[in-house]
Amino acid sequence: MVIREIREDKKRYLPLLLLADEQEDMIDRYLDRGRMYVLEEDGTKAVCVVTDEGDGILEIKNLAVEPPYQGRGYGRRLIEFAAQQYGGAFSTLQVGTGDSPLTIPFYEACGFSRSYLVSNFFTDHYDHPIFEGGKQLIDMVYLRRELHSDDGPA
Ligand SMILES: CC(C)(COP(=O)(O)OP(=O)(O)OC[C@H]1O[C@@H](n2cnc3c(N)ncnc32)[C@H](O)[C@@H]1OP(=O)(O)O)[C@@H](O)C(=O)NCCC(=O)NCCS
């Protein structure tokens, strides 16, 4: 298994990125300024994009695992990779997600805690209603995990 950074032609991973963020023009808001990593094991299995939000905050803007390979630890591997890679330079790893039973428990299992809400984010910024797990996403829920310079190896 290798995790490698993608610097060119990031849009070739668009089908995977759209699993986590289904509107392309929302992805365009962070793709260029973000750093993108892919996890490869017999082909690409997962992707993540992180951005520097200032004040020591690194944000996971996109994290997606190919559907047949979800639930096998790849998502957690990318979180731990980011924590290890950026633990010295950033104090907080942050993620914003819909209030969904498919994502919040995953981030909580990976050491994140709920931090704050941005009300009506999905209804204000997306051009169509977004549903996940049968529920419409309305607010953006931000979760945070502290980073340490000695966060374990990926
Ligand atoms: C959400 C997602 C990134 C998780 O990645 P994954 O590889 O499937 O998750 P992992 O196998 O690494 O799971 C890590 C832990 O989270 C837990 N977990 C994952 N999904 C869960 C869920 N829906 N409910 C409860 N626990 C969950 C796992 O049980 C595991 O816990 P454990 O290690 O203590 O056993 C992946 O399912 C995905 O790509 N979903 C579609 C895109 C998406 O919604 N991305 C997030 C946008 S913010």
Side-chain angles (χ1 to χ4, degrees):
M1 191 213 70
V2 294
I3 294 173
R4 65 185 182 93
E5 184 167 7
I6 303 297
R7 295 173 189 272
E8 315 229 315
D9 192 17
K10 295 176 183 175
K11 278 283 182 91
R12 85 190 110 124
Y13 294 97
L14 188 61
L16 200 44
L17 294 166
L18 286 167
L19 286 180
D21 194 350
E22 64 182 67
Q23 192 169 308
E24 185 174 347
D25 64 7
M26 295 299 282
I27 294 172
D28 290 338
R29 292 182 175 202
Y30 54 77
L31 200 56
D32 280 350
R33 70 185 177 94
R35 294 185 71 169
M36 173 189 268
Y37 297 91
V38 296
L39 184 155
E40 294 174 344
E41 189 169 61
D42 294 327
T44 303
K45 297 294 187 277
V47 67
C48 81
V49 180
V50 295
T51 56
D52 179 351
E53 296 297 308
D55 293 330
I57 297 170
L58 183 75
E59 183 163 329
I60 297 168
K61 290 289 190 185
N62 194 304
L63 173 64
V65 179
E66 288 284 2
Y69 300 98
Q70 291 174 6
R72 298 186 187 191
Y74 289 129
R76 183 192 281 280
R77 289 299 284 263
L78 278 171
I79 300 273
E80 295 309 325
F81 170 81
Q84 193 228 355
Q85 190 83 353
Y86 291 98
F90 291 83
S91 57
T92 303
L93 187 57
Q94 166 172 294
V95 65
T97 183
D99 195 353
S100 159
L102 301 179
T103 55
I104 303 263
F106 161 72
Y107 288 111
E108 288 175 337
C110 292
F112 290 76
S113 305
R114 284 174 184 254
S115 176
Y116 65 98
L117 285 183
V118 176
S119 297
N120 302 320
F121 181 88
F122 287 95
T123 41
D124 287 349
H125 290 93
Y126 286 77
D127 61 18
H128 62 287
I130 311 276
F131 286 88
E132 211 169 272
K135 185 178 161 191
Q136 186 177 357
L137 304 185
I138 307 284
D139 303 328
M140 180 78 99
V141 181
Y142 280 90
L143 299 99
R144 287 183 168 180
R145 170 178 154 171
E146 274 183 37
L147 291 178
H148 305 282
S149 52
D150 60 351
D151 271 320

